[in-house]
């Protein structure tokens, strides 16, 4: 069984002081009761600050929230995977629904981002999830398959060096969560899709659940066979809640 993983996605929140305060508090709160791997994906500008706040041998690993698919050049505003690797980023989120919906990121470009990240030695966290309309129309599985197939069909993607995250769009920031049973079915479906391409990777890959995960809902979600941890938005900025979620993983 893979080691559980909990990643905080701070989104566009934080400041220099908040970054130090939150990370210091998380770091001092990580004790023996927390067995999972712990990551935080902070805004680009706070990555260096995050590293200088935590200890060299910290259990917290730092990541970014998106990355350019390009290596370098005239791409104003973009940040490359090599740049992130140079500042010791470990994770990078790819295809978060806010990137897909608000910034129009499409599967083809997202797969290029995954490849760029892996080439630079980063671990991409590839996010998928259906909208409320898809969910209500019973199209969850088809949507997930569509979002994931570009990734699985590309033989250059190393499926053993990736994390998947299932985040139903209707559950993000709404206080609604998929039931543990609903989430388990989707996670199992994702694992089966991976298995068709690579059996070994299907066993190894961690599939995180995200969408309004709170200390109260974490335990029953993480108890599901194919839920290997969480991608946490709002609750990752609340130290007590985040540590409690980590403890439940
Ligand atoms: P919330 O936990 O705030 O619903 O956000 C989930 C998310 O988008 C994590 O990437």
């Amino acid at each position: 069984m893979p080691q559980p993983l909990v990643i905080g996605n701070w989104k566009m929140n934080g400041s220099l002081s908040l970054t130090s305060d939150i990370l210091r508090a998380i770091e001092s709160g990580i004790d023996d009761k927390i067995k999972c791997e712990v990551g935080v994906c902070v805004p680009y500008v706070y990555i260096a600050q995050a590293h200088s706040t935590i200890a060299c041998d910290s259990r917290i690993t730092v990541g970014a929230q998106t990355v350019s698919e390009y290596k370098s050049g005239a791409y104003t505003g973009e940040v490359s995977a090599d740049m992130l690797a140079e500042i010791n980023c470990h994770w990078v989120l790819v295809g978060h629904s806010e990137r897909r919906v608000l910034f129009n990121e499409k599967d083809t470009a997202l797969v290029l981002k995954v490849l760029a990240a892996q080439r630079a030695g980063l671990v991409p966290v590839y996010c998928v999830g259906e909208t409320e309309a898809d969910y209500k129309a019973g199209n969850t599985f088809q949507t997930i398959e569509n979002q994931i197939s570009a990734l699985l069909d590309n033989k250059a993607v190393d499926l053993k060096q990736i994390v998947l995250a299932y985040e139903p769009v209707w559950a993000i920031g709404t206080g609604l969560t998929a039931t543990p049973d609903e989430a388990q079915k989707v996670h199992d479906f994702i694992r089966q899709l991976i298995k068709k391409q690579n059996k070994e990777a299907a066993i190894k890959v961690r599939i995180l659940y995200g969408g309004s995960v709170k200390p109260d809902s974490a335990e029953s979600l993480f108890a599901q066979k194919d839920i290997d941890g969480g991608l946490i938005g709002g609750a990752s900025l609340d130290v007590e809640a985040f540590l409690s979620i980590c403890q439940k993983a």
Side-chain angles (χ1 to χ4, degrees), residues 184-195:
Q184 163 58 27
K185 286 195 176 106
V186 177
H187 281 233
D188 174 54
F189 179 68
I190 294 171
R191 207 178 294 282
Q192 296 309 321
L193 291 175
I194 297 170
K195 197 172 171 187

Side-chain angles (χ1 to χ4, degrees), residues 9 11 96 98 167 171-174 210-214 231-235:
N9 172 12
K11 309 194 178 183
H96 189 282
E98 286 146 22
E167 299 201 295
I172 296 178
T174 58
S212 297
V213 177
K214 303 283 182 270
L231 184 55
I232 317 300

Side-chain angles (χ1 to χ4, degrees), residues 97-230:
S97 72
E98 286 146 22
R99 302 293 317 169
R100 289 176 186 267
V101 175
L102 303 173
F103 301 97
N104 208 24
E105 292 188 355
K106 301 283 180 237
D107 291 325
T108 322
L110 296 175
V111 175
L112 295 177
K113 288 174 191 278
V114 165
L115 290 172
Q118 289 190 330
R119 260 185 236 116
L122 307 171
V123 180
V125 180
Y126 190 79
C127 307
V128 295
E130 81 285 7
T131 61
E132 186 179 15
D134 288 327
Y135 176 68
K136 287 195 169 150
N139 291 336
T140 297
F141 292 93
Q142 192 55 56
T143 306
I144 302 300
E145 187 164 1
N146 294 346
Q147 289 173 339
I148 219 171
S149 63
L151 182 82
L152 298 183
D153 291 347
N154 191 313
K155 299 292 172 238
V157 172
D158 183 352
L159 294 172
K160 288 192 215 141
Q161 297 298 333
I162 196 166
V163 171
L164 268 292
Y166 168 53
E167 299 201 295
V169 179
W170 51 269
I172 296 178
T174 58
L176 303 170
T177 46
T179 64
D181 188 49
E182 277 174 324
Q184 163 58 27
K185 286 195 176 106
V186 177
H187 281 233
D188 174 54
F189 179 68
I190 294 171
R191 207 178 294 282
Q192 296 309 321
L193 291 175
I194 297 170
K195 197 172 171 187
K196 282 189 203 154
Q197 301 290 336
N198 187 326
K199 279 193 190 145
E200 233 181 286
I203 297 167
K204 198 177 166 207
V205 73
R206 288 178 289 191
I207 309 174
L208 311 182
Y209 173 80
S212 297
V213 177
K214 303 283 182 270
D216 287 351
S217 53
E219 192 158 355
S220 51
L221 285 162
F222 298 163
Q224 301 301 310
K225 182 171 139 293
D226 291 292
I227 301 184
D228 305 306

